[in-house]
Amino acid sequence: MNRLAREKRVLSLSWFEARQHFRSPRMLALIALLTLFIGGGSWGLSDPNSTVTAQLQMDTPYEVLFLVSLFVLFSSTLGVVLLGFDGISRKRLTGELAIELAQPIDRTDLARSQLQGLWLAVFTPTALACAIGIVLIYAQMNAWPTFGEFVYFMIPTALVIYWYACIQLLASSIAKDLGSSVTLGVGVWMLFTLIWLLVTAVIASLMGVDVTNLESIEYNRFSEIVDLFSPNGVYQLLLENKLTGEDRPTMGTAYIWTAAALWSLIPSTLFLARFKRLKP
Amino acid sequence: MSGGEPVLQLSEVTFRYRLPNWPKPWLKRLGAGIHKVDLEVHSGSILGLIGPNGAGKTTLLHTIAGLHAHDSGNVRLAGQDREMLGWANAQRHIGLMPERVNWTGSSTPREALKRIVTMRGEGETPEQLLELVGMRSRMDTPLENMSQGMRQRLSLACALLGSPDILLLDEPMNGLDPVAQAAFRRLLRNLADSGVAIIVSSHNLQEMELFVDSLAILHRGQMVSYGSLQDVEKALGCSPSLLIAGNGWHPPSAGSFGAGVTMEMCEAWQGEEWRFTLHRNDGWSGDEKHDVLQAIEGAGGRISMLQTVLPSLEDLLSAATGDAADEIGFEIASDSMIPVRTWGVGEDE
């Protein structure tokens, strides 16, 4: 089978996988989350009368989008957990995995189709919610983000969903039962989404960085470095990089994009390697 | 075994699971598996793989299907080494039906099968196969609404995709009603007649006897005996017995039925005056059964039941391992599956 035919097959399988997710009841929960967070966030944050924080200016649609990214980070990554926490373990438990692994298809291709399927299932409604979000921003601010800004916003969004998809499927391939699937899936999400700030503060204090003033330049620089080890942190840094003035990260663009490249490479390589050795 | 060309040959195939060795997970502990299994399956034949729970039947089937990379030994498919064939070509020879696949989700059998067809990169239409396994009216039923029997049929349809030469069926009768079981047996026989080599695993010897050409007994990961049912029974000295019941006569001693015959009286059922079993090491041919019947009826007995009773799995295992039947039963319940006589316990890699 030539390369083109293989890629076509992977895409077809990804679509099968995504379609299954689209029709699952969990998708309804995801759509509700995205509507509430991304739609609601876009509408509320672009309200000219609203003041969220003194440090952040929301004068342009992109700045609003940047703040909406916090909601994307919360809802879309939770969506990946919702759809993907048992992506492999459920099939292993039901026996479907044995049938799939016994087929004459390269395991890497099969793993990629799972990954792309999950990514597609979360990214599609997220992209739609973001598109609706900019319409809501326009309704409030009477200004659109430029096409370039929207595309730039969507690239890190697509990437962060991809990173979480890799992490979730890797965790799911390790889990032997549903309980450990939930624990691993939700645990990883909680680590990066809810307790990373605490992790950063603990590491900073251990390394002698002053953590009594979280607005200090020293702490900000340190937290930017720690953020490179979190998918959420890299996502934020990528988006911050398009901001102007003091809101831009102090770290060089090359470091951020290198971290993004490594986050795209390492979890997916680990997942593919794990999938190759997977036993039903 | 009887049949056409050998399509599957296993020589000294060994595979053992690697278990995490806490608190040193990098040092994997060797777990249960299969040990030095030799097997040859010919096209057009049905091999029954039997053994108690945890004997290694599923592991053996998964090893043949390529889901476990064997540690040592050699697997040949259609006369070629599995490794030489390459993954995709090797898998095209094999159709696997795992045990009790619990198909879930809102998709339908048609879609599930289409997905597997896409994985195989073939242009087959799933509808034909679904008809073959009796799912014509359920092609578009959501998987989550299907009974276990329907799920079994869908798994069989998946195994039949691409018309493989070797069909591996793991406990296929589970969840099927007796009518579906009979239809399933007929389907397997038709497939075998068309040249497919079939391996069916089960822990039920009586069920196997109805349709297999040969039998392989697996116990603690090792092949205990292998051959036709008669050969296996003969090799293990476990030939079938005759169970006879009736009225109007008092059974004499075993000697009156010929030399080498042992007799065991059983409790008579309602309406019977006597019930006993007769056992010979060589089993019972048609003529010998006839002689027994004549001897009883000639002495004034009226036979209400004559039945050939196959040895139980415990009897066969007991004969093969030399352990008492009670110990075998106990062992089935335990999870210590490593053949102690062959392997050390608690080895590390």
Side-chain angles (χ1 to χ4, degrees):
Chain A
M1 190 177 259
N2 63 35
R3 186 81 209 163
L4 190 70
R6 272 181 68 181
E7 291 306 318
K8 213 175 134 188
R9 181 165 66 170
V10 172
L11 278 178
S12 301
L13 289 172
S14 307
W15 177 239
F16 269 111
E17 196 69 28
R19 214 166 46 177
Q20 270 195 345
H21 287 305
F22 286 138
R23 289 194 306 205
S24 75
R26 296 180 202 184
M27 184 53 79
L28 292 176
L30 175 62
I31 289 169
L33 268 175
L34 295 174
T35 311
L36 205 67
F37 281 91
I38 301 177
S42 302
W43 178 259
L45 292 169
S46 56
D47 188 336
N49 301 319
S50 73
T51 311
V52 179
T53 154
Q55 279 81 41
L56 285 165
Q57 300 296 312
M58 287 181 295
D59 301 330
T60 66
Y62 182 77
E63 282 167 354
V64 176
L65 267 182
F66 172 70
L67 267 189
V68 169
S69 73
L70 286 174
F71 296 105
V72 172
L73 208 47
F74 190 83
S75 55
S76 298
T77 57
L78 188 61
V80 182
V81 179
L82 264 177
L83 300 187
F85 78 94
D86 61 349
I88 307 290
S89 57
R90 183 185 55 80
K91 286 185 179 175
R92 194 207 296 261
L93 290 172
T94 59
E96 286 174 56
L97 189 64
I99 291 182
E100 291 184 6
L101 294 180
Q103 301 308 320
I105 176 172
D106 190 85
R107 283 203 181 187
T108 309
D109 290 353
L110 192 55
R112 279 175 54 212
S113 71
Q114 304 267 322
L115 192 55
Q116 287 172 198
L118 176 59
W119 175 82
L120 197 64
V122 182
F123 180 70
T124 309
T126 302
L128 274 172
C130 289
I132 293 167
I134 59 166
V135 173
L136 295 175
I137 292 170
Y138 175 78
Q140 292 275 34
M141 299 178 84
N142 204 22
W144 298 97
T146 65
F147 181 70
E149 281 172 341
F150 183 66
V151 170
Y152 186 87
F153 177 79
M154 289 316 294
I155 290 170
T157 303
L159 282 176
V160 79
I161 292 171
Y162 178 73
W163 301 335
Y164 267 91
C166 295
I167 293 168
Q168 283 305 313
L169 289 181
L170 178 64
S172 181
S173 69
I174 293 167
K176 292 275 189 283
D177 53 66
L178 210 62
S180 44
S181 289
V182 176
T183 311
L184 280 170
V186 177
V188 169
W189 179 80
M190 282 181 78
L191 170 71
F192 291 129
T193 309
L194 300 179
I195 52 177
W196 194 252
L197 262 176
L198 186 69
V199 173
T200 308
V202 169
I203 298 171
S205 76
L206 288 174
M207 308 239 345
V209 177
D210 179 21
V211 290
T212 52
N213 180 11
L214 297 184
E215 302 301 325
S216 72
I217 294 172
E218 190 193 13
Y219 182 81
N220 274 336
R221 278 191 180 156
F222 182 81
S223 74
E224 278 177 11
I225 294 168
V226 177
D227 277 351
L228 293 179
F229 296 92
S230 152
N232 298 17
V234 176
Y235 175 60
Q236 286 292 297
L237 287 169
L238 284 171
L239 292 176
E240 273 176 29
N241 212 30
K242 188 109 179 108
L243 295 172
T244 49
E246 285 179 6
D247 295 331
R248 275 179 69 86
T250 53
M251 184 179 282
T253 305
Y255 289 106
I256 302 168
W257 279 103
T258 305
L262 288 174
W263 270 105
S264 305
L265 208 66
I266 296 170
S268 60
T269 308
L270 287 175
F271 169 63
L272 296 181
R274 168 85 196 155
F275 198 88
K276 272 189 168 181
R277 291 181 282 117
L278 206 59
K279 296 211 166 26
Chain B
M1 290 295 94
S2 60
E5 293 293 303
V7 283
L8 172 69
Q9 291 159 294
L10 269 68
S11 67
E12 302 212 325
V13 171
T14 297
F15 165 80
R16 289 179 72 181
Y17 290 98
R18 267 70 175 165
L19 308 171
N21 195 9
W22 301 105
K24 295 176 185 167
W26 59 91
L27 277 179
K28 295 281 185 187
R29 190 163 47 88
L30 291 174
I34 51 169
H35 183 69
K36 291 195 173 176
V37 171
D38 291 316
L39 193 67
E40 195 171 279
V41 187
H42 293 248
S43 62
S45 70
I46 305 179
L47 170 79
L49 186 64
I50 66 161
N53 294 334
K57 302 185 294 290
T58 300
T59 305
L60 177 59
L61 292 182
H62 283 187
T63 307
I64 296 170
L67 301 182
H68 300 317
H70 50 280
D71 302 328
S72 61
N74 191 20
V75 177
R76 287 171 74 83
L77 301 169
Q80 277 185 284
D81 279 359
R82 184 178 235 296
E83 288 76 17
M84 298 293 283
L85 276 169
W87 172 257
N89 287 334
Q91 294 314 102
R92 285 186 204 288
H93 285 284
I94 293 169
L96 170 71
M97 175 186 171
E99 186 185 358
R100 286 188 88 93
V101 178
N102 187 20
W103 295 94
T104 51
S106 54
S107 67
T108 63
R110 192 200 299 266
E111 288 167 341
L113 216 50
K114 257 186 196 166
R115 189 160 164 268
I116 307 288
V117 168
T118 311
M119 275 181 203
R120 297 186 72 91
E122 288 159 1
E124 218 163 341
T125 50
E127 288 78 9
Q128 217 174 347
L129 272 177
L130 287 169
E131 272 188 40
L132 182 72
V133 297
M135 291 189 74
R136 190 182 2 200
S137 60
R138 301 292 177 92
M139 282 183 196
D140 298 310
T141 305
L143 294 174
E144 57 207 3
N145 295 347
M146 291 199 315
S147 67
Q148 187 55 39
M150 286 297 148
R151 290 182 170 134
Q152 290 288 87
R153 288 163 194 246
L154 177 57
S155 304
L156 177 66
C158 288
L160 292 173
L161 274 173
S163 309
D165 318 332
I166 304 159
L167 208 49
L168 308 171
L169 311 174
D170 197 355
E171 309 270 4
M173 302 296 183
N174 277 354
L176 295 182
D177 60 56
V179 179
Q181 283 188 15
F184 196 91
R185 285 194 290 268
R186 277 197 298 277
L187 175 63
L188 293 190
R189 179 42 64 195
N190 288 342
L191 286 167
D193 290 345
S194 67
V196 180
I198 303 171
I199 303 182
V200 190
S201 87
S202 175
H203 47 257
N204 190 340
L205 187 60
Q206 318 293 329
E207 170 192 290
M208 284 285 184
E209 188 232 2
L210 295 170
F211 66 102
V212 300
D213 301 314
S214 55
L215 207 62
I217 302 178
L218 210 61
H219 179 52
R220 303 190 87 189
Q222 293 179 106
M223 195 65 82
V224 168
S225 190
Y226 164 48
S228 69
L229 184 57
Q230 290 74 25
D231 289 346
V232 168
E233 287 167 354
K234 205 170 271 184
L236 299 176
C238 289
S239 49
S241 309
L242 285 183
L243 176 64
I244 309 168
N247 302 287
W249 168 76
H250 290 288
S253 65
S256 61
F257 294 108
V261 176
T262 54
M263 187 166 86
E264 193 183 332
M265 293 303 295
C266 310
E267 197 179 330
W269 287 18
Q270 207 171 10
E272 294 172 358
E273 288 176 15
W274 44 263
R275 174 180 274 249
F276 61 89
T277 56
L278 290 179
H279 184 79
R280 285 183 77 217
N281 281 345
D282 296 337
W284 297 92
S285 66
D287 286 346
E288 286 158 348
K289 280 186 205 170
H290 186 253
D291 290 347
V292 169
L293 290 180
Q294 271 201 329
I296 296 171
E297 286 173 349
R302 290 188 306 280
I303 296 171
S304 59
M305 188 198 68
L306 175 91
Q307 192 182 327
T308 307
V309 181
L310 289 173
S312 68
L313 179 58
E314 287 89 338
D315 292 337
L316 291 174
L317 290 174
S318 175
T321 58
D323 293 338
D326 285 354
E327 287 172 32
I328 294 284
F330 189 65
E331 219 171 69
I332 293 168
S334 83
D335 63 353
S336 165
M337 289 171 279
I338 307 163
V340 178
R341 280 174 229 164
T342 320
W343 293 333
V345 179
E347 303 154 78
D348 290 339
E349 270 202 310

